[in-house]
Every structure is written in structure tokens, then in C-alpha cells.
Amino acid sequence: MEKDTENSQPQDNNRSDLIDLNEIISLLWLNKRFIVTVTFLFSLFGVFYSLSLTDIYKSEAIVASTSGSNEMSQISGLASLAGISLSQNSGPSKVNMGIEIIQSLSFFENFSSKYDLLPSLLAAKKWDRNKNVLEYDESLFDSNKFEWVNEKILSRDNKFSIQKAHKKFLASLNIEDELGTGLYRISYEHISPFIAEKCLKNLIIEINEMSRIEDIKVAEKSISFLENEINQTSLLEIKSSLNALIEKQLEKITIAKATPEYLFKILSPPFSPEKKVRPARTLICLIFAIFGFILSLLYVISRKYFLLNKYSL
């Protein structure tokens, strides 16, 4: 008899679990109108919320590194013949340094000032697709006079904060190394696809120009130093090696002056995207609907069992 009692207990538990499950299903079915209503209201809210979000467009460009890998070894070999030691320690590449410069505050300060980037970055509110013009927040920026109305809103200690603008700029900029192949994907996001394209195009132009001018200056200083070394030595072999180094620097200057795409060669130029990259309105509406559905289920079930426990006490 005891064995029969023990065997019957699991069956009773299974039956009670089955009854509880059926009870929950019946409870949800009785409250189906409430659940559908809550789910619909959340979905409707998700629709309005998604429509209130501004479309963001992303312009992309693929560029390749143009810095030669054997340039330093050639110069070091010639310099060793002249008795000059040049370290071949592999530090950061010119491209890596260029990427860091792009992301630096000083570069952004000069770049934003040259191309009037701050209004479109900080005060743009909407892009008119039909007229292809930006609409600005009039409490911040007067588009007619093209001047700031209230800089204190975007300021720190009542002074215009370039750091705040720089932070927002970096949030819109993305640079990806394509698996160490020497190819880089650079993208910039904005509410206007044409501003995104223009900004990215000017960004690549500026970093190429900055690198080109910097290398020309370094080469000219190197030539001046080498010419001074030639004047101070009487050995023909050393003079010949130093002249070879000067020719190398002159070659670098010639290449730099004749090459606009000096640091980054554009393989796929920036473009004005036709489709937005975000927001994903369908996904937002779906998330709101699922959240409303789950919340309504939890409310119905918790209210039922909370009341039962309350009265049972």
C-alpha cells in the first residue's frame, strides 16, 4: 500500500502542473482583449516614436595606403655608407599616424573651421529632401545670417566648447582596417547624405594634403642638413653617399608635389547614399509590440495570483 501511495504522488503532481498550465491558458484567453489592447497601444507608441527619429545616412569610402615599405631600408643603406646611423625600428606606420591625426582634436579644430562644419554638426535638425537643404535649430543657429544665436547651450564656462563638437564628430566617424590588407573603410554619418559625402571627401583631401606638406618640409630640412654635412667633409665616398641621400629626398619632394593622393589612395570614392542606415523603424515597432505583449501577460498572471495569495492569507 505504501508503494502505491508513493507511486501516486508524482502522478498527482503532474496533474496539478497540468491543471495550473490549463488554468493559465484559460486566464490569458479570458483576458485576450486586454492583452491585445495593450499590445496594440505599445505598437502604436512604437510607430510614433520611430517616426519621430531623424533618418541617418552613411557615406563610405575605401582607401589604400600609399606609403612604401622599402623606402626606409633604402635610405638607411645609403646613410650607413656615409657613416650615418638611421634606426630601422618599426614604429607606427605613416597610415596609423594619419588615422590618429584624423581623430585628434587639433585636426578637427582646423578642419571644422575651414569647412564650416560646426553648424551642420551641432545645430542641424532636419534635412529637406525636396530642396536638399538643412533645417537648423533656430534657438542655436540663425541660418539666414549664418551665425550662432546662443553658444552657451553648447558651451563650457560660457565659452564655445570645441571638445563637445569633437566628441560628436568622432561618434559619426568610423575608420576600419580591412583585416590588415592595407585597405581602410572610412565612413561618416549625417542626417543629410550630401553633407556626409562632402565631409568625408574633404576629410580625405585634408589628411592627404597635411601628410604631403609635412613630408615636403621634412625632406627640405633633410636636404639642408645633408648639404651642410657635405661642406664639412673632404672624403669623396662620403660626399657621394650624401649626394645620393639628397637625390632621394629630392625624389620624395617631387613625388609629394605631384601626388594629391599622397597618404591614402581612393579606391572607392565617397558617395551620397540613397538609403538611410538607421533608424530601423520596423524593428523598433516590433520590439515595442513584443514588450507590450509580454508586459500584458505578466500583468494578467501576476494580478491573478497576487489576489489569490492575498485572500488566502
Side-chain angles (χ1 to χ4, degrees):
M1 294 295 293
E2 292 180 358
K3 291 183 179 180
D4 295 339
T5 305
E6 291 176 357
N7 293 333
S8 63
Q9 287 179 354
Q11 295 178 0
D12 293 340
N13 291 334
N14 292 336
R15 287 179 181 177
S16 62
D17 293 341
L18 185 61
I19 292 172
D20 291 340
L21 181 60
N22 291 332
E23 184 180 355
I24 291 175
I25 294 175
S26 299
L27 178 65
L28 297 178
W29 179 254
L30 290 173
N31 292 271
K32 60 182 179 296
R33 290 186 177 180
F34 173 79
I35 295 172
V36 171
T37 302
V38 172
T39 304
F40 174 75
L41 290 176
F42 270 81
S43 302
L44 192 63
F45 181 78
V47 171
F48 284 110
Y49 173 73
S50 64
L51 291 176
S52 67
L53 298 176
T54 306
D55 290 342
I56 302 296
Y57 298 87
K58 180 169 72 172
S59 180
E60 288 185 337
I62 298 178
V63 297
S65 168
T66 59
S67 57
S69 59
N70 61 345
E71 179 181 351
M72 188 63 192
S73 61
Q74 291 176 352
I75 295 176
S76 299
L78 291 171
S80 62
L81 294 176
I84 301 174
S85 176
L86 295 179
S87 175
Q88 295 188 27
N89 185 24
S90 57
S93 67
K94 287 174 60 177
V95 173
N96 290 333
M97 289 190 291
I99 292 174
E100 291 300 320
I101 290 173
I102 290 175
Q103 298 174 336
S104 67
L105 178 62
S106 58
F107 175 84
F108 171 74
E109 192 169 4
N110 296 327
F111 179 68
S112 60
S113 177
K114 182 176 181 179
Y115 294 100
D116 291 324
L117 182 62
L118 294 181
S120 63
L121 182 66
L122 298 175
K125 183 174 63 175
K126 184 181 178 182
W127 172 60
D128 190 329
R129 179 186 293 270
N130 297 324
K131 298 179 181 178
N132 189 22
V133 294
L134 283 177
E135 296 180 8
Y136 296 94
D137 186 348
E138 296 298 330
S139 64
L140 297 176
F141 187 77
D142 189 340
S143 57
N144 296 323
K145 298 180 180 179
F146 209 78
E147 62 182 15
W148 292 98
V149 176
N150 187 359
E151 295 184 0
K152 292 184 178 180
I153 300 178
L154 306 169
S155 67
R156 179 181 179 184
D157 300 330
N158 294 330
K159 294 181 180 179
F160 193 87
S161 175
I162 193 68
Q163 295 182 16
K164 189 177 294 185
H166 179 236
K167 186 177 181 180
K168 192 169 184 179
F169 171 76
L170 291 181
S172 302
L173 178 68
N174 186 39
I175 303 175
E176 298 179 0
D177 185 356
E178 296 292 302
L179 301 176
T181 58
L183 301 179
Y184 296 84
R185 186 184 300 273
I186 307 177
S187 63
Y188 186 77
E189 297 179 356
H190 197 267
I191 62 175
S192 167
F194 297 97
I195 296 293
E197 176 193 13
K198 181 181 178 182
C199 182
L200 185 56
K201 181 179 179 180
N202 291 333
L203 182 71
I204 298 173
I205 291 174
E206 284 300 310
I207 191 60
N208 276 331
E209 185 68 12
M210 180 180 293
S211 302
R212 192 170 67 91
I213 293 174
E214 178 66 22
D215 278 5
I216 290 175
K217 289 181 179 179
V218 171
E220 289 175 345
K221 289 181 180 179
S222 299
I223 290 173
S224 178
F225 169 77
L226 292 171
E227 287 177 344
N228 185 52
E229 289 294 317
I230 289 175
N231 293 331
Q232 293 180 5
T233 184
S234 58
L235 298 175
L236 294 178
E237 291 184 359
I238 294 179
K239 284 187 176 183
S240 177
S241 299
L242 292 175
N243 282 324
L245 287 174
I246 290 176
E247 289 179 4
K248 198 68 181 177
Q249 296 302 312
L250 289 173
E251 180 183 347
K252 182 186 289 187
I253 292 175
T254 303
I255 293 174
K257 288 184 176 181
T259 311
E261 296 181 354
Y262 185 70
L263 183 64
F264 290 116
K265 180 176 178 59
I266 301 175
L267 302 180
S268 177
F271 60 92
S272 176
E274 296 179 352
K275 295 183 179 180
K276 61 181 176 63
V277 66
R278 67 174 192 273
R281 291 188 171 87
T282 303
L283 180 61
I284 292 174
C285 295
L286 183 61
I287 291 174
F288 270 89
I290 294 174
F291 181 77
F293 177 72
I294 294 175
L295 190 65
S296 62
L297 295 182
L298 292 176
Y299 175 78
V300 170
I301 295 172
S302 61
R303 184 183 64 174
K304 170 71 175 179
Y305 288 96
F306 176 77
L307 290 175
L308 287 176
N309 293 334
K310 181 179 179 181
Y311 287 118
S312 64
L313 292 175

